[in-house]
Amino acid sequence: MRMVLPISEMEQAAPYMDRRVLEHIGDGQTEAFEGFENFDLLAFDWYDVHSTRSQSAQMLLYLDREDLFIFCEDDAALARAQAIVTELEQDELDHQRLLYSFFHRLLRGDMDHLDQMEDRISDGETRLLEGKLTGECLEQIVAWRRELLRLKRYYEQLDAIFDQLAVNDNGLLDRQAVRRFSNLGNRTERFLGSIQNLREAVAQLREAYQSQLAIQQNDLMKIFTLVTVVFLPLTLLAGWYGMNFVNMPELRWRYGYPAVAIVGLAIAVGLVWYFKRKKWL
């Protein structure tokens, strides 16, 4: 017997399952994989990497020597599971082969998704190094971090399931099934390796963004500092000649005011020339 049902309708499969299953699930003790003497119980949070949907949905699978049941938390997960099982049933597979093929179809195209994500992150790095900082840059970096974290949790659950199925403690699977699930475990490990590399790339991208932002702020502060330095001598002259000393010779000289103006301009021009020579401007 095999069924694909919502978790809320699990009672329909109760007559065909071990009586301990519903008690076990009702107590909230379901983990990624739990192997019993006569059956295996698999649970993971399915995440659709090929859609914009960011919400995960639990899938719960029950396997014994005669039955395979798949229970889904929401409509999206139910539709996905039903589509896969309906397609596979045309090949008249046994439960073990169908379970393997179910996971195989579930992971189809995931590496392409990771490759496309790597390309997007690489393009983001190129734009960032070109100095094209926008408010969307940080938002995109945060979105990538969240996406990679969701993918990491998703594949970690599947990797744990495949490893335990490959161990096959209760002898429920034949040798070929064990080998197939071992291969799936190797695949999810490659996914996790790619995700780890992408997470490191995003972390470096965030550091580069912060560095570019710091450089822009430093450039702005340098401009303010240079403007202050240029006008500081002029401020000194203005303060000097703003004092009420009637016996200052410049005040009685016909060309005193133009001379002070020329001196101030010369100081400003000289400082600008000096800054450019030192490549501070």
Side-chain angles (χ1 to χ4, degrees), residues 20-32:
R20 294 172 294 176
V21 174
L22 294 180
E23 298 176 359
H24 197 71
I25 296 174
D27 293 337
Q29 300 179 10
T30 304
E31 299 179 359

Side-chain angles (χ1 to χ4, degrees), residues 145-269:
R145 289 186 64 192
R146 291 175 179 171
E147 173 72 6
L148 290 171
L149 180 59
R150 286 192 289 262
L151 290 171
K152 174 178 175 291
R153 292 173 177 172
Y154 175 49
Y155 292 124
E156 281 178 343
Q157 294 178 72
L158 293 180
D159 188 51
I161 289 174
F162 299 148
D163 286 347
Q164 291 298 323
L165 286 171
V167 171
N168 194 28
D169 284 334
N170 54 12
L172 196 62
L173 305 176
D174 58 32
R175 182 177 300 178
Q176 289 185 346
V178 168
R179 179 174 53 82
R180 293 189 185 102
F181 284 113
S182 179
N183 291 336
L184 283 179
N186 293 334
R187 176 181 294 188
T188 53
E189 287 178 1
R190 290 196 297 270
F191 290 167
L192 288 171
S194 297
I195 290 170
Q196 181 61 32
N197 293 335
L198 292 177
R199 293 186 72 192
E200 292 175 359
V202 170
Q204 294 173 358
L205 194 60
R206 184 177 182 182
E207 292 176 0
Y209 174 84
Q210 293 174 338
S211 297
Q212 290 289 341
L213 197 61
I215 290 173
Q216 286 188 352
Q217 292 175 344
N218 290 338
D219 289 342
L220 185 60
M221 291 302 299
K222 183 171 71 174
I223 292 174
F224 289 152
T225 301
L226 294 178
V227 170
T228 302
V229 171
V230 168
F231 283 95
L232 186 60
L234 306 183
T235 303
L236 176 62
L237 289 175
W240 183 279
Y241 286 97
M243 294 186 294
N244 295 322
F245 292 142
V246 296
N247 58 347
M248 294 180 69
E250 292 86 352
L251 298 179
R252 296 190 298 270
W253 183 32
R254 179 179 179 182
Y255 300 103
Y257 179 78
V260 172
I262 292 173
V263 169
L265 181 61
I267 292 174
V269 171

Side-chain angles (χ1 to χ4, degrees), residues 55-124:
Q55 182 181 359
S56 59
Q58 188 180 56
M59 284 190 180
L60 183 66
L61 289 81
Y62 171 89
L63 174 70
D64 60 24
R65 299 186 186 279
E66 299 178 355
D67 305 297
L68 173 62
F69 302 123
I70 302 175
F71 305 105
C72 304
E73 183 179 12
D74 63 11
D75 294 338
L78 183 65
R80 178 62 173 159
Q82 286 177 335
I84 294 176
V85 171
T86 300
E87 181 181 357
L88 293 174
E89 283 182 337
Q90 298 176 3
D91 299 330
E92 299 181 355
L93 304 175
D94 59 32
H95 295 325
Q96 296 181 26
R97 185 68 182 273
L98 189 142
L99 181 63
Y100 161 78
S101 299
F102 175 81
F103 281 113
H104 187 270
R105 297 292 177 88
L106 208 61
L107 297 174
R108 178 184 292 176
D110 286 20
M111 184 56 76
D112 292 337
H113 174 74
L114 294 177
D115 290 340
Q116 293 171 7
M117 194 170 185
E118 183 179 9
D119 292 339
R120 292 195 298 270
I121 293 174
S122 179
D123 292 341

Side-chain angles (χ1 to χ4, degrees), residues 7-20:
I7 291 181
S8 59
E9 300 178 12
M10 189 180 297
E11 292 288 346
Q12 293 185 27
Y16 308 99
M17 295 191 299
D18 190 290
R19 59 181 178 81
R20 294 172 294 176

